[in-house]
Amino acid sequence: MLSCDGGALLRAVILTVPLQTNDYWKKNNYQTLTGIEPGWQGIFATCDKGRESRAVAEMYSILEECAAKLYPEMSKEGSKNAEEEDEKEDIEAAINKELLETKDKKKKNDRPFASVMMDVLCVTFFRLKQPLEATDIVRALCESAQKPEGGTIRSKYIHRLTPITRTGKATVEGIREVAMAVLAPHFHSGQQGIKFAIRPTSRNHNVLSRDVIIRTIASCVGAAHTVDLKNPDLLILVELYKVMCVG
């Protein structure tokens, strides 16, 4: 997974929302996917050990509130459809529909965001679908947290957010493919002399070394730009998880 954006995008967003337990998560039918697939975008969120389920529940609340502010038309459309369905369906029909949706995996893929089950401690991942943009959402959350009054979107369990623009296979070729797609608008659209830094992170992955990852990404950036580890214009984030790379 690889993400590219200007400035220090990743900072703790530490605030307060009502405590949500595992039972609450299940009761509210949160959509959970299994495994990260190529071509996705999303957000990595870190938390304390043993707080993963509460972090997921909290992240759903945060994403719902943030998406409503950044994409109001999507929120209005969803509310309108829900109201129309409530008027037409009786209680029995609504129960039957909910049971069918729970069994139908395709319904999960229609949601604008969904958590992904991971066997890594202290880390959760949320897949986002268009029109949601991972970098826009993380930037909005960080800007909200930096406001003098503390902003309106708060978290208690989420510590760090990493926006993921695109996912691919954790091979040299897979990393190169993702990098070329993600970096093009930032480095290959007429820009010259951009200072950049590369920050790779590996989770449950020991095939590709840090040096190989950095060299692969740097080759995709090109010679027209320069490395600056202390004061980069753009920070390129590369995450390797098992057999997947994201950026």
Side-chain angles (χ1 to χ4, degrees):
M1 305 169 191
L2 183 127
S3 181
C4 180
D5 212 328
L9 198 57
L10 314 179
R11 291 294 181 268
V13 187
I14 314 256
L15 328 295
T16 57
V17 297
L19 174 65
Q20 312 295 7
T21 64
N22 288 340
D23 290 338
Y24 179 91
W25 182 9
K26 295 175 182 177
K27 180 178 68 176
N28 284 273
N29 193 31
Y30 288 157
Q31 300 299 307
T32 301
L33 305 173
T34 55
I36 300 174
E37 298 182 8
W40 284 3
Q41 65 152 337
I43 299 174
F44 270 126
T46 65
C47 63
D48 291 332
K49 182 179 179 180
R51 302 286 186 176
E52 290 84 359
S53 61
R54 293 180 178 181
V56 168
E58 181 177 78
M59 192 65 180
Y60 268 108
S61 298
I62 291 174
L63 287 175
E64 287 171 358
E65 183 175 351
C66 188
K69 293 181 178 180
L70 294 180
Y71 311 94
E73 294 305 317
M74 184 180 71
S75 178
K76 291 179 181 179
E77 181 179 350
S79 299
K80 181 179 179 181
N81 292 339
E83 290 174 0
E84 292 176 351
E85 290 178 1
D86 288 342
E87 292 175 357
K88 295 179 181 179
E89 296 179 350
D90 57 22
I91 295 177
E92 183 178 357
I95 293 175
N96 290 334
K97 180 180 179 180
E98 183 174 352
L99 290 173
L100 289 174
E101 288 185 354
T102 301
K103 296 178 180 179
D104 188 357
K105 293 183 179 179
K106 292 183 179 180
K107 294 292 184 180
K108 295 182 179 181
N109 292 327
D110 293 334
R111 302 297 177 96
F113 46 81
S115 63
V116 179
M117 293 182 64
M118 300 179 63
D119 55 357
V120 179
L121 295 175
C122 307
V123 180
T124 65
F125 181 76
F126 275 76
R127 183 212 62 184
L128 305 182
K129 298 193 72 175
Q130 294 293 337
L132 276 62
E133 293 288 346
T135 51
D136 291 344
I137 290 177
V138 172
R139 184 185 294 109
L141 291 173
C142 291
E143 290 174 350
S144 176
Q146 290 175 346
K147 291 180 179 179
E149 65 275 17
T152 59
I153 299 179
R154 301 311 221 183
S155 72
K156 183 176 181 180
Y157 301 105
I158 302 296
H159 293 327
R160 172 174 290 191
L161 301 175
T162 304
I164 302 303
T165 305
R166 182 167 173 171
T167 63
K169 295 181 179 180
T171 63
V172 171
E173 187 57 37
I175 292 175
R176 184 176 290 111
E177 181 181 346
V178 171
M180 294 303 296
V182 173
L183 300 178
H186 305 281
F187 292 96
H188 305 146
S189 299
Q191 301 93 333
Q192 293 289 329
I194 293 178
K195 296 181 293 183
F196 70 96
I198 302 171
R199 183 184 297 171
T201 301
S202 296
R203 309 178 192 277
N204 289 16
H205 178 87
N206 56 10
V207 177
L208 298 180
S209 68
R210 178 184 177 89
D211 289 343
V212 169
I213 297 169
I214 292 176
R215 286 200 302 268
T216 302
I217 298 297
S219 68
C220 296
V221 172
H225 311 287
T226 58
V227 175
D228 189 332
L229 301 181
K230 294 184 178 181
N231 188 32
D233 298 318
L234 294 176
L235 173 63
I236 303 172
L237 304 176
V238 188
E239 298 269 347
L240 272 71
Y241 169 65
K242 289 188 173 181
V243 296
M244 299 300 300
C245 74
V246 298

